[in-house]
Amino acid sequence: MIARRKSAQDASAQSTLETINRYSPILAYALLALGSLVIYRDFGMSWDEGVQSEYGELVLEYFRSLGEETAALDYRNLHLYGTLIELSAAWWYDGTTGEWIYIRHLWIGLVGLTVVPALMALAKNYDASIMLPILAAAAMLMLPRYNGHLFYNSKDVPLAATIAIAIAAMAYYLQPGRQVWGRAILVAVAMGTVGAIRPAGLPIILVMVAAGALALVFQEYLRDKKLPTELLQRLVVQGIAVLAIAWLIMIALWPWAHQAPISNPAYAMLYAAKFPTPGSIFFEGTYILTTQLPRSYLLHNLLLTTPVSVLAFFLPGLVVLARRLSQPERDAFPVEVLIATWLALPLLMFLILVPVTGAGIHHFLFVLPAIAFIAAIGANLVADLLATRISRITSNIIVIAILLVPLGDQFRLHPYQISYYSELVGGLKSAGHSFETDYLVSSHREAIGWLNKHTFDKGEENVNVLIAANNLSITTASTFASSRLNLITTLDASREPNLPDNIDYYISSYRYELDHNFPEAPVIYEVKREGIRFMVVKGRAEEP
């Protein structure tokens, strides 16, 4: 009787555990969505959010007017980009006033957080381990660079999340004997969403998906010692349908693509590969043109901005993945090829093409979920090895505790996790003198917020504030400025010792050393972390 009761209890516990595991991606996303409500207002604007949001509003007008309002068709170069996030954000905040930027940020964050359930779903279709989805989620959440972009990067964060979703959908499709139309359409929708956010993402995810499909064909060929004709025909037919559906989804909400549904998207993809507008990046202590980046730039940045604790698990995970790739007879082989391509493709793209890119890694954020997932594989291996000497629960706790080490850094840097550097270069305190930090000038929000209060407390009105900004980045300051501040922009380096007579305050980021302007003007406020200045506020000489 006792044995039977214990057996029933064990079965009930196992059933409960399986239920929790089945719905864990949904539960994880719900918790993260609630958590985002606590912090999303802390983040400032990226330097190009002003024009991106305006583009979304123009696209909204295009659809409202049934195509009569055509300003979205040639707005800057943004007509070359997908509209899904910009349009949906504009629709959500339409009619609001001061809240628009926070609504936009919340929406971008909610989309970006879908990367976590996507990785958890991928883990379920890759390995039977109950811990792998949890480890994948933990590794992803411990990547400060992704979290730093999470609430205001409307292109690269949603792109990374939707590529992760497409990878998870393809892994679901690649399960043995499961190449059915329902799963193929799921892949098509995911791929189309990638293209609807950033058209250049469609050929990237297409290569990844094709690699997984070819691996499946190769695996079947090795097993049967003959070409799997039936499977190959099914993959070709479904592949054509998948591409067609994905293309239609990509262009559905894209006004410029409506003008030429084939050639315009194709041009936009080529444009992204050869971005013609160079800039400069602070790298290894000097500013270099984005057309002259070293081939190692992306790999170098990934190495320095990925926490050591994640890298410590990524390396054994990479070894495990490489070893499994040498065993194509395994059922998981096509999924492993898919994951390996996810990691290798962007690195090879940069190594071969050396494209013009923005500062840091923000144009390649979509490689971070791959790093997190491979780190989870490595963490799972370490937990298995530890479990041979200690209890499974203890080994899991140890591994998770190691993964969560960067949490302290993220709290200290908040909301500037974009400026994170690992212990390999001495953290931000050391790397901040040689590499980009708050390069999207989101710290304008904090500096302007301080000045709003400062001028209010002093009873000042019609205050002239000189902002080191261009026609794009001025929005990061003006959006948060009170009516008593008159903002004037400059990007000139000044040799004058003090502020001009008609200027009351000067605000500048560290970029291009414009914070060194007016050296005798007293610094009355700084936005900084770990001793590294992001933004400075200077006043007149008589300021206390």
Side-chain angles (χ1 to χ4, degrees):
M1 178 68 74
I2 295 175
R4 189 179 304 167
R5 185 181 305 163
K6 184 176 186 303
S7 177
Q9 290 174 344
D10 290 344
S12 176
Q14 181 65 26
S15 177
T16 301
L17 188 61
E18 289 175 356
T19 300
I20 293 173
N21 189 47
R22 184 181 305 118
Y23 294 106
S24 59
I26 298 174
L27 177 61
Y29 182 75
L31 292 174
L32 290 171
L34 287 174
S36 70
L37 293 175
V38 178
I39 63 173
Y40 78 100
R41 287 177 174 267
D42 297 345
F43 290 80
M45 292 178 68
S46 68
W47 71 275
D48 54 359
E49 267 196 279
V51 294
Q52 288 171 346
S53 60
E54 187 172 351
Y55 177 52
E57 293 160 13
L58 293 176
V59 174
L60 184 60
E61 287 304 310
Y62 170 87
F63 283 105
R64 277 181 173 163
S65 67
L66 300 179
E68 293 294 324
E69 295 292 335
T70 60
L73 298 181
D74 58 357
Y75 180 69
R76 296 179 177 267
N77 69 347
L78 292 182
H79 62 282
L80 299 169
Y81 293 92
T83 69
L84 181 59
I85 300 301
E86 309 301 352
L87 173 61
S88 53
W91 175 81
W92 192 1
Y93 68 66
D94 184 48
T96 65
T97 53
E99 290 294 299
W100 74 272
I101 187 60
Y102 297 117
I103 294 172
R104 175 184 166 82
H105 282 181
L106 179 59
W107 174 230
I108 296 169
L110 291 176
V111 174
L113 286 171
T114 60
V115 71
V116 171
L119 289 182
M120 297 178 76
L122 173 62
K124 291 174 183 295
N125 285 306
Y126 173 70
D127 193 296
S129 168
I130 292 177
M131 281 303 297
L132 189 60
I134 298 171
L135 295 172
M140 188 67 222
L141 292 172
M142 290 303 107
L143 294 176
R145 283 299 176 114
Y146 188 84
N147 297 333
H149 284 269
L150 182 60
F151 291 101
Y152 55 67
N153 188 330
S154 60
K155 294 177 185 174
D156 305 301
V157 162
L159 177 68
T162 51
I163 284 181
I165 293 171
I167 293 289
M170 188 61 184
Y172 183 59
Y173 175 82
L174 289 173
Q175 297 305 301
R178 299 293 183 177
Q179 289 70 55
V180 296
W181 276 104
R183 297 190 181 204
I185 291 173
L186 187 64
V187 173
V189 172
M191 289 175 58
T193 305
V194 169
I197 290 169
R198 198 157 194 162
L202 184 57
I204 291 173
I205 190 63
L206 181 61
V207 171
M208 297 176 186
V209 164
L214 289 173
L216 181 64
V217 173
F218 178 66
Q219 182 182 65
E220 291 299 314
Y221 171 77
L222 290 179
R223 285 176 175 176
D224 298 337
K225 304 304 180 184
K226 64 179 181 178
L227 190 66
T229 307
E230 183 179 344
L231 173 63
L232 194 56
Q233 288 175 345
R234 187 185 310 124
L235 291 177
V236 170
V237 172
Q238 291 182 350
I240 293 172
V242 163
L243 182 57
I245 294 170
W247 197 276
L248 289 173
I249 293 172
M250 175 180 67
I251 68 174
L253 300 176
W254 186 7
W256 190 64
H258 294 174
Q259 314 308 305
I262 302 297
S263 60
N264 277 2
Y267 175 83
M269 294 171 188
L270 292 173
Y271 177 91
K274 299 179 180 179
F275 190 71
T277 307
S280 60
I281 293 176
F282 191 53
F283 183 69
E284 294 186 329
T286 186
Y287 281 96
I288 59 175
L289 290 176
T290 53
T291 54
Q292 299 175 355
L293 296 175
R295 294 185 184 277
S296 61
Y297 177 79
L298 177 59
L299 188 60
H300 187 274
N301 269 276
L302 286 171
L303 183 63
L304 299 187
T305 60
T306 301
V308 170
S309 57
V310 176
L311 284 177
F313 291 126
F314 172 78
L315 294 176
L318 195 60
V319 172
V320 169
L321 185 62
R323 186 173 181 179
R324 290 177 178 175
L325 286 171
S326 66
Q327 303 168 348
E329 70 281 357
R330 299 177 68 256
D331 284 345
F333 174 72
V335 177
E336 287 157 353
V337 170
L338 181 68
I339 294 167
T341 308
W342 188 10
L343 174 70
L345 181 61
L347 298 178
L348 290 174
M349 283 170 51
F350 198 96
L351 187 65
I352 296 170
L353 300 176
V354 196
V356 174
T357 187
I361 60 171
H362 71 276
H363 285 166
F364 288 85
L365 288 180
F366 65 90
V367 76
L368 293 184
I371 291 174
F373 191 80
I374 295 171
I377 294 174
N380 203 40
L381 171 67
V382 172
D384 286 343
L385 294 175
L386 289 175
T388 62
R389 296 179 176 275
I390 57 179
S391 72
R392 167 63 67 176
I393 292 177
T394 303
S395 68
N396 288 338
I397 290 173
I398 290 173
V399 166
I400 291 175
I402 294 172
L403 276 176
L404 294 182
V405 166
L407 197 58
D409 290 321
Q410 297 201 68
F411 276 119
R412 285 191 295 273
L413 292 176
H414 182 75
Y416 309 113
Q417 291 91 339
I418 191 177
S419 303
Y420 173 85
Y421 286 92
S422 79
E423 296 86 346
L424 292 178
V425 282
L428 173 63
K429 185 175 183 180
S430 176
H433 299 289
S434 301
F435 299 96
E436 296 280 10
T437 55
D438 180 36
Y439 52 85
L440 295 179
V441 296
S442 66
S443 50
H444 264 147
R445 174 186 178 276
E446 184 177 336
I448 286 290
W450 181 88
L451 193 56
N452 286 338
K453 184 178 185 304
H454 179 75
T455 54
F456 177 81
D457 291 343
K458 293 186 65 177
E460 295 180 323
E461 297 288 345
N462 296 318
V463 177
N464 291 329
V465 182
L466 188 63
I467 302 279
N470 59 17
N471 63 335
L472 295 181
S473 56
I474 184 59
T475 313
T476 63
S478 60
T479 298
F480 304 102
S482 68
S483 58
R484 67 178 59 86
L485 304 185
N486 304 316
L487 304 185
I488 305 165
T489 62
T490 181
L491 280 178
D492 294 331
S494 174
R495 296 183 181 180
E496 296 296 323
N498 216 320
L499 301 183
D501 292 339
N502 64 327
I503 297 298
D504 300 296
Y505 298 96
Y506 174 64
I507 296 180
S508 173
S509 78
Y510 72 95
R511 298 208 82 193
Y512 312 115
E513 298 186 338
L514 292 176
D515 57 322
H516 293 176
N517 284 353
F518 315 116
E520 294 183 13
V523 173
I524 56 177
Y525 187 75
E526 288 180 294
V527 180
K528 61 183 180 179
R529 294 291 187 274
E530 298 185 3
I532 298 299
R533 174 190 288 175
F534 301 154
M535 196 74 63
V536 63
V537 181
K538 294 185 177 183
R540 302 199 59 77
E542 63 267 24
E543 285 286 341

